[in-house]
């Protein structure tokens, strides 16, 4: 994921009517599974707000079998509405991981490269599962995603052909990308053991690495463009070809820099969130269009026009996410 900071800003300054047309829900009320309830309870414990309207649901109505839905009992959301609030302390990044587990890494900060982020997030996620000393294991246990990168010899000819068809590429290009990705993975395996003592010989650590690559977002300027994994946001699916993305993610600081703090205050009040303090690095999920009750919420993982014209990007995104987000 990459955060887009410009799409909804016009709506932030628009005057919105307090009267909204009522629409029937897209679906009947979809009941949460026990797993959905546990995850939503964890969100509440961590101070993530808005889960009465933005709900995790495991259902065949979701394009991926599980996703975020706008509540079937809520009033329609208007463009620019704040749908959810995610405190910066909940986001798994190099900075939050280092503060939480300062003794985990076996190297001084100056010897850790910016490109080591997949290694660091994998190590922090594994530590969270092992210790649960900050309560993140309930969240990380729900993570699903691609397995660890593998060499092209691990795939059958049929699998290579299917990937080539999905990405409008060739089996040979798929093999090249698989090998390049596996070469990076091998380097990261060595680095992971050097820095943390964890080894990808442990299947779960290797799988975590693959999931980290698929769930990470490049955060904005208030995070120094770090890569991180964002709770709630990481449950959003990419829209199918006949749908447009319906939400965007912004930092409080980015909204303030392009409007003003007074406007941020008004937005928060309009959202009904009970917030006394917000920080630049806190994140908000924003409606980029009118959202009807019961709709699944979608966030674009990448620019579709770029994928349509760039074969290399299509192949790499397919290997990262497990599908090509056209």
């Amino acid at each position: 994921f990459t955060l887009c900071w410009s799409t909804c800003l016009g709506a932030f300054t628009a005057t919105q009517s307090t009267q909204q047309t009522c629409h029937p829900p897209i679906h009947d009320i979809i009941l949460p599974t026990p797993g959905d309830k546990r995850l939503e309870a964890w969100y509440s414990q961590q101070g993530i707000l808005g889960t009465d309207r933005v709900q995790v649901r495991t259902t065949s109505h979701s394009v991926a079998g599980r996703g975020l839905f706008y509540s079937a009992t809520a009033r329609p959301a208007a463009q620019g509405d704040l749908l959810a609030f995610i405190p910066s302390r909940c986001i798994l990044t190099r900075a939050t991981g280092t503060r939480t587990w300062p003794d985990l890494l076996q190297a001084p900060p100056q010897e850790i490269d910016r490109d080591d982020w997949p290694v660091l997030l994998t190590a922090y996620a594994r530590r969270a599962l092992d210790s649960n000393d900050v309560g993140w294991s309930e969240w990380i246990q729900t993570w699903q995603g691609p397995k660890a990168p593998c060499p092209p010899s691990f795939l059958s000819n049929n699998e290579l052909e299917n990937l080539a068809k999905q990405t409008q590429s060739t089996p040979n290009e798929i093999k090249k990308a698989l090998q390049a990705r596996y070469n990076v993975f091998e380097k990261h395996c060595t680095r992971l053991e050097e820095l943390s003592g964890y080894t990808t010989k442990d299947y779960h650590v290797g799988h975590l690495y693959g999931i980290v690559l698929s769930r990470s977002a490049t955060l904005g300027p208030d995070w120094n463009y770090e890569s991180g994994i964002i709770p709630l946001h990481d449950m959003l699916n990419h829209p199918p070809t006949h749908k447009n993305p319906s939400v965007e993610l912004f930092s409080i600081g980015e909204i303030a820099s392009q409007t003003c703090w007074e406007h941020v205050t008004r937005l928060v009040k309009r959202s009904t969130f009970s917030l006394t303090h917000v920080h630049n690095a806190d994140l908000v999920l924003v409606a980029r269009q009118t959202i009807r009750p019961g709709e699944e919420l979608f966030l674009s993982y990448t620019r579709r026009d770029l994928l349509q014209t760039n074969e290399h990007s299509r192949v790499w995104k397919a290997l990262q996410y497990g599908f090509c987000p056209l």
Side-chain angles (χ1 to χ4, degrees), residues 161-289:
E161 290 283 355
N162 286 337
L163 271 172
K165 184 177 180 180
Q166 182 188 140
T167 57
Q168 301 166 27
S169 184
T170 65
N172 193 45
E173 288 301 315
I174 298 295
K175 287 181 180 179
K176 288 180 184 177
L178 283 167
Q179 189 60 57
R181 194 165 182 261
Y182 184 68
N183 291 345
V184 173
F185 174 58
E186 285 195 307
K187 291 178 183 177
H188 280 168
C189 290
T190 302
R191 191 69 172 140
L192 179 65
E193 194 158 4
E194 289 174 353
L195 290 177
S196 67
Y198 289 121
T199 172
T200 52
K201 293 176 183 176
D202 177 341
Y203 168 81
H204 297 292
V205 174
H207 192 191
L208 266 179
Y209 176 92
I211 293 173
V212 160
L213 292 181
S214 72
R215 298 180 88 88
S216 297
T218 302
L219 295 156
D222 292 300
W223 287 86
N224 195 27
Y225 299 99
E226 277 194 81
S227 293
I229 305 178
I230 308 162
L232 192 71
H233 166 273
D234 67 342
M235 294 302 299
L236 286 161
N237 289 316
H238 182 78
T241 53
H242 63 285
K243 293 277 190 179
N244 291 318
S246 54
V247 297
E248 291 286 356
L249 198 68
F250 296 85
S251 74
I252 291 291
E254 189 68 14
I255 297 173
S257 69
Q258 298 192 40
T259 56
C260 62
W261 268 103
E262 189 176 317
H263 188 68
V264 171
T265 302
R266 289 199 302 269
L267 280 173
V268 170
K269 285 182 178 178
R270 194 176 75 198
S271 72
T272 71
F273 296 151
S274 298
L275 290 169
T276 54
H277 299 286
V278 292
H279 304 282
N280 282 348
D282 294 335
L283 302 179
V284 286
L285 195 65
V286 180
R288 58 177 289 164
Q289 62 186 35

Side-chain angles (χ1 to χ4, degrees), residues 135-146:
W136 274 348
S137 70
E138 291 94 335
W139 169 41
I140 295 172
Q141 285 169 4
T142 69
W143 289 3
Q144 298 175 1

